[in-house]
Amino acid sequence: MPDAYGLFGWPVHHSWSPFIHGMYARLTGQDMVYRLYESPPERFRSEVLGFFGDGGSGINVTLPHKRAAADLVNELTPRAQLADAVNTIFRRGEALVGDNTDGVGLLRDLTANLGLRWSSPRILVLGAGGAARGVLEPLLSLGPSELVIANRTPDRARDLAREFATHGPVRGSGFAELEPQPFHLIVNATSASLRGEAPLVPIDVVGTDTTCYDMAYGAGDTPFVAWARRLGAARAEQGWGMLVEQAAESFEAWRGVRPDTAPVLEALRSRAATAANTRS
Ligand SMILES: NC(=O)c1ccc[n+]([C@@H]2O[C@H](COP(=O)([O-])OP(=O)(O)OC[C@H]3O[C@@H](n4cnc5c(N)ncnc54)[C@H](OP(=O)(O)O)[C@@H]3O)[C@@H](O)[C@H]2O)c1
């Protein structure tokens, strides 16, 4: 029987993960299946334990369960501990280990796929939820002169900045308090795009040298990417690359092989473009 993997979330029917992991399995010759599990919060814990009790090999976890997954596992990797959220669970002997591959996925997309390099950049992270928390440490590894977390609810940004104060030059802010000065990199880690909105951020934070990166992705420009293009940002990118890179990191944790992400990213982009053309 092939080894069983899957994605637990609520909802997950829209997920690209079976396509991505299916391609990784074919490219690396792995005998495995990857399925979607619609798991409401009240059933998440019992369903995950049931999956592993039945011999399942590993899972991804997505909204709204990344915090609950951190409480469920026996051990956390250091980066999952820092993120206080788990998107990948694998077995180590009898133990279930929780990992967080979102941050490394973003970093790899920015540096390896998009080829971006900065010296002491000013970085703005929009949002203070699980995704923002998971990427703070990797973004601080870029050696920013300053990393500002701005959130719709400013106190959440300030609390998060305080937690990471020993890791680098981080401060928290509300959207309206942001100074009118362009950043080198703006990462949208809010879920505003899911509601068809861009976060209400002053336009002066975007300059002609600014790279705007939306962790969200979709067929056609997300609202944040469209906003960044209108303002003349140097680059405006969606989170497809982060998606395939975080998945590759999970795949390697489960199977011990690193898949080539380039053909998968190309296939996803081409499917998204076809979907966008079909809609227009
Ligand atoms: N590409 C990838 O591989 C990848 C990986 C992980 C996550 N993501 C994406 O990252 C996004 C955030 O996920 P998450 O887990 O951090 O969610 P979350 O924990 O629910 O946090 C949501 C954040 O978005 C803010 N927000 C929601 N609606 C907003 C609006 N209309 N305007 C401004 N801010 C708004 C919230 O602000 P308040 O605190 O004020 O409520 C909060 O900071 C999602 O779109 C998710 O799909 C992508």
Side-chain angles (χ1 to χ4, degrees):
M1 242 191 8
D3 295 337
Y5 296 87
L7 171 67
F8 282 74
W10 195 59
V12 286
H13 58 269
H14 61 283
S15 171
W16 290 91
S17 293
F19 174 78
I20 295 170
H21 286 288
M23 259 189 99
Y24 287 162
R26 279 194 301 284
L27 289 168
T28 58
Q30 300 292 306
D31 188 19
M32 58 184 277
V33 291
Y34 188 103
R35 297 197 175 95
L36 294 175
Y37 295 88
E38 291 288 353
S39 187
E42 66 277 12
R43 294 208 311 258
F44 173 70
R45 187 182 176 86
S46 63
E47 289 182 351
V48 169
L49 294 176
F51 172 89
F52 282 106
D54 290 343
S57 297
I59 63 168
N60 285 133
V61 178
T62 189
L63 286 172
H65 303 313
K66 289 184 183 182
R67 272 283 311 114
D71 291 335
L72 176 152
V73 294
N74 308 107
E75 292 171 33
L76 290 171
T77 61
R79 61 193 181 187
Q81 205 161 7
L82 202 55
D84 197 23
V86 158
N87 77 336
T88 305
I89 301 180
F90 59 89
R91 290 175 182 274
R92 187 184 287 145
E94 291 299 301
L96 295 181
V97 182
D99 194 8
N100 189 309
T101 66
D102 285 336
V104 72
L106 171 65
L107 198 62
R108 206 163 279 147
D109 193 35
L110 291 172
T111 57
N113 297 341
L114 301 173
L116 294 163
R117 298 276 180 280
W118 300 273
S119 163
S120 308
R122 291 187 71 236
I123 300 177
L124 174 62
V125 174
L126 303 174
R133 172 185 278 276
V135 300
L136 288 181
E137 180 68 18
L139 288 175
L140 285 168
S141 77
L142 294 171
S145 58
E146 173 174 56
L147 189 156
V148 180
I149 306 165
N151 195 42
R152 182 175 63 177
T153 311
D155 280 350
R156 287 189 77 195
R158 293 195 189 101
D159 288 348
L160 192 54
R162 261 192 296 277
E163 270 190 65
F164 279 77
T166 54
H167 297 266
V170 191
R171 69 182 167 89
S173 165
F175 291 153
E177 304 149 38
L178 285 167
E179 292 132 37
Q181 197 187 343
F183 286 82
H184 296 100
L185 173 64
I186 304 178
V187 176
N188 180 24
T190 73
S191 47
S193 288
L194 301 178
R195 289 182 198 84
E197 298 165 10
L200 292 171
V201 180
I203 56 174
D204 323 67
V205 295
V206 177
T208 48
D209 286 335
T210 306
T211 292
C212 291
Y213 190 100
D214 197 348
M215 284 196 194
Y217 44 82
D221 286 349
T222 62
F224 176 73
V225 162
W227 174 83
R229 285 195 206 289
R230 277 199 303 278
L231 295 177
R235 296 185 74 156
E237 303 285 345
Q238 302 194 33
W240 291 111
M242 176 176 175
L243 180 70
V244 299
E245 295 299 339
Q246 61 80 24
E249 193 80 4
S250 301
F251 191 89
E252 188 175 9
W254 296 328
R255 307 300 297 181
V257 227
R258 177 113 208 140
D260 181 7
T261 54
V264 181
L265 185 51
E266 201 181 305
L268 275 185
R269 287 213 164 108
S270 124
R271 281 184 162 221
T274 308
N277 289 338
T278 312
R279 277 194 336 200
S280 60

